[in-house]
Amino acid sequence: MIRVENLHKHFGGFHAVDGASLEIATGSITGLVGPNGAGKTTLFNVIAGVLEPTSGRVSMDGEDISGLPPHVLFHKGMLRTFQIAHEFGSMTCRENLMMVPGGQSGETLWNAWFSRGRIAQEESALLKKADEVLDFLTISHLKDERAGNLSGGQKKLLELGRTMMVDAKVVFLDEVGAGVNRTLLNTIGDAILRLNQERGYTFCMIEHDMDFIGRLCDPVIVMAEGKVLAQGTIDEIKDNDAVIEAYLGTGLKNKEMV
Ligand SMILES: Nc1ncnc2c1ncn2[C@@H]1O[C@H](COP(=O)(O)OP(=O)(O)OP(=O)(O)O)[C@@H](O)[C@H]1O
Ligand SMILES: [Mg+2]
């Protein structure tokens, strides 16, 4: 679905992404791992149109999407999760979800005057959808809770929920499990698996928790110093000398210690 070819992103003289090439297959949950500063988030930001590539190419289903802005990619079904913005903290979970879909009739003044019936219809469809999403994520009891009062893990779930308000094809998750307790991490993992299996979402996720990655992802891509170092199943990755070296920075002599 997504093909990245010889991608570079430079910040001044610093090569954060330094000739990365990779593919994300349709229907996969692809993991992206690597030491801190490997360039994973920068790579995501370039793919998702948040940053312009210095050079290289990103395509989606064969179409060149290099440098397209996030809102255009959003309409093509590519979503990237962000932390919930502060301004949404005072809105309820349900309202946060209802905010997501673009192009609602209620957004223009003209429509506000002349088609109140249609707006009411859209509102009620959105409300139904938001409640379905909250139910799917097992957080229906939080629907009237302000997003700002949620725990870190619950915010991550709501973030995932935002991708379900539109017809997403491919979703990029940056450290969705970071700082989340085990129980909630399992809920997030289950939701990702169900979205993948039941709704055909393709995922690419950056994560440092190897157990979480191992449970969800195949294949796993390892990045180091802006480049793709290795790709394979979690077991292949764990056994790969170059990967161990990149993580430890000390080479094979420490392999016994892993
Ligand atoms: N806007 C920027 N300007 C300058 N340098 C940047 C910028 N964004 C990222 N970098 C640098 O690029 C490198 C890669 O950063 P990036 O955030 O992509 O790494 P990462 O693999 O996501 O790391 P982590 O696992 O810690 O999140 C880092 O050395 C970082 O300091
Ligand atoms: Mg990062």
Side-chain angles (χ1 to χ4, degrees), residues 55-66:
S55 65
R57 188 181 137 103
V58 183
S59 51
M60 181 176 181
D61 292 329
E63 180 194 356
D64 190 349
I65 56 163
S66 319

Side-chain angles (χ1 to χ4, degrees), residues 37 39-42 174-175 206 208:
K40 305 180 296 295
T41 298
T42 307
D174 194 349
E175 299 199 30
I206 298 175
H208 285 291

